[in-house]
Amino acid sequence: MRFLGIQALKSELSEGSLKQSDVFGYWLASTILLHLFILPTSMQPTVWDYLFWALTFVATVVLLRNCYIANGGESGVKFSDKLVSISWVMLIRGFLFVFLPLFIIGSMVATFVGISLGYNDEVTSKLVENCVLGEALIFEIWVWLRIAAHIRDVRESRKMIAS
């Protein structure tokens, strides 16, 4: 992995000699840096905000590695191509078919529970917010697992074609 040497990186890219482990390293480093920049920054972040941040950080790192392994690790090919293109489709599908239904149903249930238990509007609103954080975590994990499964499918179908 290169940190400052752009000429050597350009040479590896033009020769096609960039190792898949380096590609994964770039993805991992970028993911970690991006995640560090999105620390909870509201005026009064709660313990739940930090817990959600920590859980998504761990899930992202672990499941990104899972995608790399699903691609065959160092012997895999075109990790970035697969990760970016499959991620796009899974994010759209996941938003429409996982997150939105969870959000609608979860918010309704959390509101109903808050009202049923006699919570005031502020407490009920916090209950709904925390429910949405849980739904977002479920959505993120679902997306990463589906990305890894589809990357594995592409690798296996490529092996079948080659044999």
Side-chain angles (χ1 to χ4, degrees):
M1 233 175 100
R2 309 279 180 197
F3 290 94
L4 297 175
I6 191 66
Q7 292 304 325
L9 176 59
K10 286 170 37 177
S11 176
E12 287 177 342
L13 288 167
S14 65
E15 295 167 1
S17 64
L18 184 65
K19 296 186 285 185
Q20 290 297 291
S21 59
D22 288 339
V23 173
F24 171 70
Y26 288 122
W27 274 107
L28 184 61
S30 299
T31 300
I32 289 171
L33 284 176
L34 177 62
H35 212 81
L36 290 175
F37 284 119
I38 59 169
L39 268 165
T41 57
S42 66
M43 294 301 250
Q44 296 178 331
T46 67
V47 171
W48 293 110
D49 294 326
Y50 287 109
L51 178 62
F52 175 75
W53 179 87
L55 289 172
T56 59
F57 179 78
V58 169
T60 300
V61 169
V62 168
L63 294 170
L64 178 61
R65 186 169 190 285
N66 189 36
C67 290
Y68 173 69
I69 291 167
N71 189 50
E74 181 59 39
S75 64
V77 293
K78 298 187 177 187
F79 177 65
S80 286
D81 294 3
K82 295 171 194 168
L83 183 66
V84 170
S85 56
I86 292 172
S87 294
W88 173 253
V89 175
M90 288 298 97
L91 282 168
I92 300 299
R93 289 176 62 148
F95 180 77
L96 292 174
F97 303 119
V98 176
F99 184 74
L100 279 180
L102 281 175
F103 174 77
I104 293 167
I105 294 167
S107 296
M108 288 174 30
V109 168
T111 301
F112 178 74
V113 166
I115 291 170
S116 298
L117 295 175
Y119 295 156
N120 64 33
D121 289 345
E122 185 178 330
V123 173
T124 300
S125 176
K126 282 291 182 192
L127 184 63
V128 171
E129 286 176 24
N130 290 332
C131 184
V132 171
L133 286 177
E135 294 158 356
L137 182 61
I138 291 168
F139 164 70
E140 180 178 1
I141 291 170
W142 181 89
V143 167
W144 279 111
L145 290 173
R146 296 309 306 146
I147 293 167
H150 290 297
I151 287 174
R152 188 174 300 106
D153 290 347
V154 169
R155 188 185 91 220
E156 289 173 2
S157 67
R158 182 183 162 116
K159 280 198 275 185
M160 288 174 54
I161 291 170
S163 57

